[in-house]
Amino acid sequence: MLRAVPKNWFSWKFEIFDGEVCVANLDLAWFREEVEFAIQGRTFEIGREGVMSSVFLLREDGRTIASATKPSAFRRSFDVVFDQTDYKLEAVAPFVRRFELRKDFRVVGSIHPVHCIGRKAIVELPEYLPLEVQLFIAWLVIMLWKRAPSRIVAGRSLHGN
């Protein structure tokens, strides 16, 4: 289990912890949906396949390790491919920040906030996925949280709608 902890209240920079050890930093860019991070001296990049593409890639040294395709602009979900295996990453319900990772229609992991308000998150993904792939999947969810209207909290609008 990993924990994603924002560096401060207004920041989209996250420290990723495995237990008490910080294993990586994810700094979500303000205007572009991309990030670069390092794990034990190896550098990884996450970004779109093209400027207007709905495909996101995890790369190391120009080699694609995993990909995620957003099949619809109206659904909070991704089709993720790693090691020739297909996964589905999607929100459990509209306006809920909990996401589940499925393989063959079976839930194999989840990413969810620690509290209903705030951006600290628990990342519970299968250990057979390498750390860089777990971080890629976590980044996809955090990116969707960042895109979401700030008035949506814990499954409902602050205005009661």
Side-chain angles (χ1 to χ4, degrees):
M1 178 181 74
L2 301 173
R3 290 179 301 117
V5 180
K7 289 197 174 197
N8 62 52
W9 184 257
F10 297 105
S11 176
W12 286 100
K13 295 178 183 182
F14 286 81
E15 293 178 314
I16 309 299
F17 290 91
D18 184 357
E20 297 302 315
V21 177
C22 181
V23 294
N25 290 290
L26 295 178
D27 183 359
L28 278 73
W30 279 99
F31 299 107
R32 295 171 45 188
E33 292 177 334
E34 61 184 33
V35 69
E36 186 176 287
F37 62 92
I39 301 172
Q40 298 178 342
R42 297 169 57 202
T43 302
F44 300 91
E45 300 170 343
I46 300 172
R48 288 182 185 268
E49 186 174 48
V51 177
M52 297 299 288
S53 175
S54 63
V55 178
F56 294 87
L57 303 173
L58 169 64
R59 293 183 171 169
E60 179 184 28
D61 296 327
R63 180 179 61 90
T64 299
I65 297 167
S67 66
T69 304
K70 190 158 183 358
S72 169
F74 303 105
R75 298 199 58 207
R76 294 179 305 142
S77 68
F78 288 96
D79 297 324
V80 178
V81 178
F82 165 68
D83 198 25
Q84 300 177 355
T85 303
D86 296 326
Y87 298 89
K88 184 73 164 182
L89 176 67
E90 64 185 341
V92 297
F95 307 113
V96 174
R97 294 190 300 154
R98 181 183 183 89
F99 282 73
E100 290 180 339
L101 183 69
R102 291 184 177 83
K103 178 182 174 188
D104 299 325
F105 302 102
R106 193 178 86 251
V107 175
V108 295
S110 67
I111 300 168
H112 55 90
V114 172
H115 302 289
C116 62
I117 298 175
R119 288 173 285 125
K120 288 183 186 177
I122 301 295
V123 179
E124 297 176 300
L125 296 171
E127 290 186 15
Y128 60 78
L129 292 176
L131 179 57
E132 59 270 18
V133 175
Q134 291 185 44
L135 293 176
F136 175 56
I137 293 168
W139 178 85
L140 291 167
V141 171
I142 293 169
M143 177 194 56
L144 289 181
W145 289 351
K146 183 179 177 200
R147 284 182 182 179
S150 60
R151 65 184 182 90
I152 301 298
V153 178
R156 64 179 184 210
S157 155
L158 293 178
H159 303 292
N161 300 342

